[in-house]
Amino acid sequence: QGQLVESGGGLVQDGGSLRLSCAASERTFSRYYMGWFRQAPGKEREFVAAISWSGTITEYANSMKGRFTISRDNAKITIFLQMNSLEPEDTARYYCAADPSYTTVVTGRSRYWGQGTQVTVSS
């Protein structure tokens, strides 16, 4: 059973930056589409960004465009989320997802999910 492990979360001030990582346990994931979701307390999980297995196709939620950048390193079977200009509204637990289907990833129905990493932005 493949696993995804997120890291890089933490406490940052308004306007700051963080870089999240998601490491996959198996080489198979290098051919999977992958993405990031987040969930704040009392809110539904929401899509953040997704990336194709080759890294050539990326997609972002409107509120993250221009501030967040998703990337991947297939040699390390890892994806990243560079988050800049963070706002208190970005406070949430961020989850990594992976699936053979791109549509499945962006619609939040991925087969594989990590445990998440907490991001807290203070005002």
Side-chain angles (χ1 to χ4, degrees):
Q1 187 76 8
Q3 291 185 332
L4 303 173
V5 179
E6 302 94 335
S7 61
L11 175 65
V12 64
Q13 290 188 334
D14 190 356
S17 298
L18 281 175
R19 189 191 195 208
L20 305 183
S21 299
C22 172
S25 61
E26 299 178 0
R27 181 59 57 184
T28 304
F29 286 99
S30 66
R31 304 289 288 189
Y32 278 26
Y33 297 96
M34 298 182 73
W36 290 96
F37 286 75
R38 69 184 187 185
Q39 187 167 20
K43 295 186 177 181
E44 293 186 355
R45 184 175 60 193
E46 66 173 334
F47 171 74
V48 174
I51 188 166
S52 63
W53 68 266
S54 64
T56 56
I57 300 173
T58 58
E59 185 171 340
Y60 298 90
N62 286 336
S63 62
M64 288 72 166
K65 288 180 180 178
R67 298 191 302 126
F68 292 7
T69 303
I70 189 171
S71 61
R72 69 189 295 162
D73 182 341
N74 283 337
K76 297 180 180 179
I77 331 172
T78 300
I79 67 168
F80 307 95
L81 186 67
Q82 178 66 44
M83 304 186 295
N84 299 327
S85 302
L86 283 163
E87 304 165 352
E89 293 73 22
D90 294 316
T91 295
R93 191 164 186 84
Y94 285 70
Y95 296 89
C96 175
D99 196 271
S101 164
Y102 189 69
T103 300
T104 304
V105 169
V106 298
T107 56
R109 296 178 289 116
S110 294
R111 183 180 309 175
Y112 299 99
W113 291 87
Q115 295 299 307
T117 185
Q118 180 67 35
V119 172
T120 303
V121 185
S122 63
S123 57

